Amino acid sequence: MNDNEFLALVATRSGMSSEQATAVTQATLTTLAERIDGGEARDLSGQLPEGLRAYAFGGSETAERFGLDVFVDRVSGRADLDVDTAKDGVTAVFDVLRDALDPTGYEQVVTQLPAEYGDVADQTAPFVRRQA
């Protein structure tokens, strides 16, 4: 999957314009990289389409521990979207990540997140793809 395909899927699944889908994807990947350990962020980055890799490259080895509300608030601010729209976008990005990553890669990312993230990322069955 290339950058354009990834972003088009986020736009389709979230109902956003291509500009909004790009902003929410970049914001979600940046925030996710802050929330997971640095090694895992680098692994995630390496599995993404080339144009999105820099957004998922974590700046710290130690993950910041914050809940889903803070995650969505950060995405909302970075993407300049209201919180409800940002949450829909975050969900779409996680759904596309599920399709873009190998199953083990996706599982390694979502297992670092607390259960409350299940509202945006399917954590119960990482090897079963969600329906669009």
Side-chain angles (χ1 to χ4, degrees), residues 10 16 19-29 75 79 81 86 89-90 93:
V10 171
M16 294 180 177
E19 293 81 14
Q20 289 174 317
T22 299
V24 80
T25 298
Q26 293 169 350
T28 299
L29 293 173
V75 171
L81 298 168
V90 168
V93 172

Side-chain angles (χ1 to χ4, degrees), residues 6-32 52 68 71-98 106 117 119-122 130:
F6 192 104
L7 296 170
L9 284 170
V10 171
T12 299
R13 293 178 186 191
S14 65
M16 294 180 177
S17 69
S18 61
E19 293 81 14
Q20 289 174 317
T22 299
V24 80
T25 298
Q26 293 169 350
T28 299
L29 293 173
T30 298
T31 307
L32 181 59
L52 299 175
L68 180 59
F71 190 101
V72 173
D73 283 343
R74 287 185 184 190
V75 171
S76 172
R78 287 176 169 146
D80 195 26
L81 298 168
D82 66 74
V83 173
D84 291 334
T85 303
K87 188 171 184 179
D88 291 344
V90 168
T91 302
V93 172
F94 272 103
D95 281 349
V96 177
L97 280 173
R98 176 191 257 340
Y106 181 80
Y117 281 74
D119 287 352
V120 296
D122 187 347
R130 276 196 210 183

